[in-house]
Amino acid sequence: MATDLTAPRTARPDVGPIQRRTLRLLFGTQIIGGVGVTIGIAVGALLAARIAGTAMAGIAQSAGVVGAALLAIPVTRIMARHGRRPGLVVAYAIGAVGGVLVVLAAVTRSVPLLFLGMLLFGGGTAANLQARYTAVDLAEPARRGRQLSVIIWATTIGAVAAPNFAALADRVTTGWGLPPLAGPFAFSAAAFVLAGGVLLGLLRPDPLLTARRLAAADPPAAAVPPVAAVSPIAAAPPAAVAAEAPAAGGPVDGATPAAAPVGVRPPRGAGMRAAWSVVRGQPAARLGIAAVAVGHLVMVAVMAMTPVRLGESHADADVLRLVGIVLSLHIAGMYAFSPVVGWLTDRLGRRAVILGGVGLLLAACAVAGTAGHHTPRLSVGLVLLGLGWSGTMVAGSTLLSESVSADVRPSVQGFSDLIMGLAGAGAAVASGFVMQVAGYPVLTLLAAVATAPLVALALRPVPTGAPGEEG
């Protein structure tokens, strides 16, 4: 006889309407914010090349990635103290300021101002990333993966619409006297202000604060009726069996709050040090962070050099067209199927989908690395790369969110986004050197090898059961 920590409680009647309203707001603002972010990605390198030179264009783009990673620290600190709403609003506001600074840099042709603007522009990306965690604060355990994935999927709409808005914004603002390619960043700033304003006015009550209130009101886990089933936690120590049971926004899938299995209270504070203290003692949280970071690292490393690979075998007149097609297919793989990935995450379990995502990443590296100059086969590899990223991102983010208690959740999620952003930025820089020295096939091989630690961590036995896995 063992307490079943994976059995979801009946949802409270007051949580359902709040969660549905939260998801609708996040879906809409994710589209708006996604448009703003994608416009910057689409024209940022071109604008940087005109202001700072071609050699600095890639570094300027990386500044936005690093900015998103670093801004996760203050944004999640705000969330930990005051809730999701002010944190998201501040992130969008910083992104808007960054967009304005990029416009000023284009007008004055100031390189330092350009880099500062791109760094702050990462606030829009930070807000988009944190929105996926906001979606699961009040989600029922059996629906967390699907609801998180729907918010990720909303980014697809913004990514598809953004190029059209970029061209329109450039035409309109050129008539106002702004330099070419500056207008899209002005449009991005306006999109960030709109998304932040909607959340500021309508994201009430705050989902994270509500989840904390409900968690504090939950009865002890001992009140959960036992089930007559053999569970892997039957042999676990009493402290683990007496751990806090899942509530709205609580843990599931083999994950208990970080404090529960080790018998200590979560550390005070809301910084990265507190987050690391929690993650260090929680295997499920470590797996979630590793899945997100490694999946992102492999995706960025291979994707970043694919346009260069296409340029090796096609004339300049065809390269841009082919790059657009191949990367569009890649983005479709990343986002378009995320609801299916979310459903599988809830159906099969987080760990199984993480391993499936790794398998797709390995297949992507094999297909792309051996494609030679065969563009259709390279396109298939990039689609598989996007699907693998989606699996590790959705399942890893879901597992991470439910592995820690609500009081430290924002800090741990911010720590994850920091690691993910730095991994992606490092991969983007390193991939260029590997491509120049050894070529694209070696790059894909090294990217495949980088998944080995994640596979080892995912296959490591855990002391508690998980739906669709050991349970």
Side-chain angles (χ1 to χ4, degrees):
M1 300 288 288
T3 303
D4 184 6
L5 299 184
T6 68
R9 292 182 183 175
T10 304
R12 297 190 181 187
D14 57 332
V15 171
I18 298 174
Q19 176 66 355
R20 289 191 293 272
R21 174 183 172 86
T22 298
L23 290 176
R24 287 195 297 267
L25 283 171
L26 292 175
F27 190 89
T29 54
Q30 195 77 341
I31 294 174
I32 299 170
V35 169
V37 170
T38 308
I39 286 177
I41 294 175
V43 304
L46 295 174
L47 179 61
R50 293 191 179 185
I51 297 176
T54 304
M56 303 295 290
I59 300 177
Q61 285 288 81
S62 298
V65 177
V66 174
L70 296 180
L71 287 171
I73 299 174
V75 167
T76 53
R77 184 179 292 271
I78 292 171
M79 288 181 176
R81 294 179 177 177
H82 306 290
R84 297 288 188 188
R85 182 170 59 91
L88 291 174
V89 170
V90 167
Y92 276 127
I94 293 174
V97 171
V100 172
L101 291 181
V102 171
V103 173
L104 293 176
V107 173
T108 61
R109 303 192 67 83
S110 169
V111 175
L113 195 60
L114 172 67
F115 279 94
L116 177 60
M118 291 300 296
L119 194 73
L120 297 180
F121 189 80
T125 301
N128 270 18
L129 290 173
Q130 286 296 315
R132 76 190 193 276
Y133 291 128
T134 307
V136 297
D137 282 330
L138 293 174
E140 298 176 36
R143 296 178 61 86
R144 286 183 183 135
R146 278 167 284 184
Q147 294 184 351
L148 182 145
S149 67
V150 165
I151 302 305
I152 294 178
W153 180 78
T155 308
T156 308
I157 301 175
V160 171
N164 298 320
F165 284 114
L168 174 63
D170 195 46
R171 288 196 302 269
V172 171
T173 55
T174 300
W176 296 348
L178 290 181
L181 302 178
F185 280 94
F187 191 93
S188 293
F192 292 157
V193 170
L194 177 59
V198 170
L199 292 173
L200 179 63
L202 300 180
L203 190 58
R204 302 169 186 271
D206 189 283
L208 178 62
L209 300 183
T210 303
R212 287 176 176 171
R213 176 176 58 83
L214 294 178
D218 276 338
V224 179
V227 294
V230 178
S231 171
I233 66 168
V241 176
E244 179 185 351
V252 76
D253 202 354
T256 50
V262 295
V264 297
R265 297 181 63 83
R268 295 184 179 272
M272 295 298 104
R273 183 176 299 178
W276 169 241
S277 299
V278 172
V279 170
R280 187 173 54 187
Q282 177 54 274
R286 293 200 300 271
L287 175 58
I289 290 177
V292 171
V294 172
H296 196 65
L297 182 149
V298 173
M299 187 275 293
V300 171
V302 176
M303 181 271 294
M305 289 298 108
T306 298
V308 179
R309 179 64 165 176
L310 290 169
E312 293 176 346
S313 56
H314 295 88
D316 291 344
D318 298 325
V319 170
L320 290 179
R321 177 178 59 85
L322 291 174
V323 167
I325 294 173
V326 173
L327 292 188
S328 293
L329 293 172
H330 170 64
I331 292 173
M334 290 174 63
Y335 297 115
F337 299 97
S338 57
V340 177
V341 176
W343 178 81
L344 291 173
T345 298
D346 291 332
R347 184 76 174 178
L348 303 178
R350 288 53 162 147
R351 191 177 299 263
V353 175
I354 289 173
L355 287 171
V358 172
L360 288 169
L361 291 174
L362 293 175
C365 292
V367 172
T370 59
H373 299 304
H374 191 258
T375 302
R377 184 170 180 176
L378 185 61
S379 300
V380 172
L382 267 291
V383 171
L384 292 174
L385 187 70
L387 289 171
W389 178 90
S390 182
T392 55
M393 174 64 72
V394 172
S397 298
T398 304
L399 179 60
L400 174 65
S401 296
E402 63 196 12
S403 300
V404 296
S405 55
D407 54 347
V408 296
R409 190 175 300 152
S411 298
V412 173
Q413 290 164 342
F415 179 73
S416 175
D417 281 355
L418 173 65
I419 298 299
M420 179 190 72
L422 295 179
V429 173
S431 63
F433 290 102
V434 174
M435 183 74 175
Q436 182 176 0
V437 173
Y440 192 75
V442 173
L443 172 64
T444 58
L445 176 62
L446 293 177
V449 171
T451 65
L454 175 57
V455 173
L457 192 60
L459 293 177
R460 182 180 180 182
V462 290
T464 55
E469 299 176 24
E470 298 95 346

